[in-house]
Amino acid sequence: MPFTREEKSRIIEQYAREPGDTGSTEVQVALLTERINRLSAHLAANKNDVAAKRGLLIMVGRRKRLLGYLEREDKARYKALIEKLGLRK
């Protein structure tokens, strides 16, 4: 399910580093995480949807690469983001 404009704006506003920030690593990871959560719920109800499962794996890989980049560049921002999103316990 795609986001509504309001949902996407809310997520961007919540994770933006400064007003008008739509492309920072934090925003990208937050949007991917929301999409991953929605697709996971879809797959729980539709176990045979192979195309959706492939899309989920692609998104998880992209999020992992972005988090790896953020961890290398700025550990403090990385730790704050994973704590805020509830990832990697």
Side-chain angles (χ1 to χ4, degrees), residues 31-78:
L31 288 171
L32 275 171
T33 299
E34 181 63 28
R35 287 181 65 198
I36 287 168
N37 292 339
R38 288 176 180 216
L39 197 51
S40 296
H42 167 78
L43 285 171
N46 302 281
K47 296 189 185 308
N48 294 328
D49 191 346
V50 180
K53 189 172 187 178
R54 180 176 185 273
L56 176 68
L57 292 173
I58 289 169
M59 283 188 271
V60 168
R62 183 177 303 148
R63 181 178 70 180
K64 183 178 179 183
R65 285 191 304 273
L66 283 166
L67 285 170
Y69 165 78
L70 188 59
E71 185 178 24
R72 283 190 313 272
E73 295 300 315
D74 191 340
K75 289 233 190 254
R77 283 174 41 209
Y78 167 77

Side-chain angles (χ1 to χ4, degrees), residues 1-16 22 27 30-35 38:
M1 280 295 209
F3 297 124
T4 63
R5 276 190 185 172
E6 293 79 24
E7 291 170 331
K8 190 171 182 177
S9 297
R10 179 187 50 78
I11 293 169
I12 290 171
E13 185 179 304
Q14 188 176 359
Y15 291 94
T22 58
V27 171
L31 288 171
L32 275 171
T33 299
E34 181 63 28
R35 287 181 65 198
R38 288 176 180 216

